[in-house]
DNA sequence: TACCATAGTAACTAAAAAGTACCTATGGGA
DNA sequence: TCCCATAGGTACTTTTTAGTTACTATGGTA
């Protein structure tokens, strides 16, 4: 007789709690290429709003996946980087990017037609 | 001068179009353990509704990730399995499960307290 | 003095995702 | 004859997620 309701039916649900949703994987993939300022992240993700960016960054921070580095300056300067724990996601994030690239090639033939050029897509 | 709006800013966005959302990774993780009937999937995911299950399966099928095998019987029997293309996600899906398991252990100490027992969690 | 840049917050609204309830088909068995 | 099981569809509602707009702080600069 089970009295305690278990939280997860399968372990991937725990992963999705941390990196699921529309933006977190994208943010984290950008951070695999090194630490980034808020403004840089906004440029890399033109469709994200300030609100969503901050919100997602806060959640990733509170899950211990990223570090927030605030320099006491005016105008403010804040940088985000993968934490040591977040680094444990690096291989997964790289694989997700690589699969996506192959998928784009499979679907459209030429990745350069569908994918913005950036440090990430070289 | 760029006239064509590119679809993706980073390749992981293409991956998320295919396996993003609340249920797809969970369904696919279950299918990495072999083909499953609709009823089995519902038992493995007690929180999913019939509607969401069918909807997600249809999308995965139309993206070429899974195969739908319909036996002409009454009552109906339908099985789902990873397609050959879907198998290219196997390593990623396994890594996502493993990371989640480690994360549960990190958070709660004992995975058995939080995770339902099943073939997947052994 | 007025404005700039940067990072962020808050109240409100809109859109997307998910859930609910009810309906279909069909051959076999009680 | 009526109900069972299985897989699925549909109209509608609720919840969640995301977007919009306006606002804050502050030292430096024109």
């Amino acid at each position: 007789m089970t009295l305690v309701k278990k939280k997860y039916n399968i372990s991937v649900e725990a992963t999705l709690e941390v990196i699921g949703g529309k933006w977190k994987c994208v943010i984290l993939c950008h951070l695999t290429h090194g630490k980034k300022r808020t403004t840089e992240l906004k440029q890399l993700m033109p469709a994200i709003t300030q609100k969503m960016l901050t919100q997602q960054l806060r959640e990733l921070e509170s899950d211990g996946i990223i570090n927030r580095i605030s320099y006491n300056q005016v105008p403010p300067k804040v940088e985000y980087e993968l934490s040591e724990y977040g680094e444990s996601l690096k291989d997964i994030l790289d694989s997700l990017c690589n699969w996506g690239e192959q998928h784009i090639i499979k679907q459209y033939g030429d990745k350069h037609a569908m994918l913005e050029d950036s440090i990430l897509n070289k």
Side-chain angles (χ1 to χ4, degrees), chain A:
Chain A
M1 185 168 74
T2 308
L3 290 173
V4 180
K5 179 129 175 279
K6 307 240 174 140
K7 187 162 184 188
Y8 306 108
N9 291 287
I10 184 173
S11 54
V12 73
E13 292 171 3
T15 310
L16 294 175
E17 273 189 356
V18 177
I19 63 165
K22 188 172 173 180
W23 295 110
K24 285 180 183 173
C25 273
V26 178
I27 293 171
L28 292 174
C29 282
H30 285 300
L31 293 184
T32 61
H33 295 263
K35 65 172 181 282
K36 297 272 177 290
R37 295 188 61 171
T38 313
T39 331
E40 291 180 280
L41 287 171
K42 271 194 269 187
Q43 283 159 7
L44 292 165
M45 299 176 280
I48 202 171
T49 59
Q50 169 76 54
K51 175 195 154 190
M52 288 309 295
L53 180 58
T54 317
Q55 186 178 303
Q56 303 301 303
L57 288 168
R58 292 286 169 283
E59 292 178 13
L60 288 168
E61 193 192 357
S62 83
D63 283 324
I65 305 297
I66 62 172
N67 298 134
R68 179 177 188 275
I69 308 155
S70 176
Y71 301 84
N72 264 44
Q73 292 179 184
V74 170
K77 178 179 175 182
V78 177
E79 288 180 327
Y80 295 94
E81 63 179 10
L82 285 185
S83 68
E84 206 187 312
Y85 188 47
E87 292 284 345
S88 68
L89 287 165
K90 181 124 186 355
D91 287 350
I92 291 176
L93 295 167
D94 287 344
S95 300
L96 289 170
C97 279
N98 291 337
W99 192 91
E101 198 169 313
Q102 293 308 307
H103 185 65
I104 292 170
I105 293 169
K106 179 172 179 275
Q107 290 231 295
Y108 305 104
D110 177 20
K111 71 175 176 178
H112 300 292
M114 299 307 291
L115 197 51
E116 288 297 337
D117 302 314
S118 85
I119 44 160
L120 294 165
N121 309 325
K122 278 185 192 149

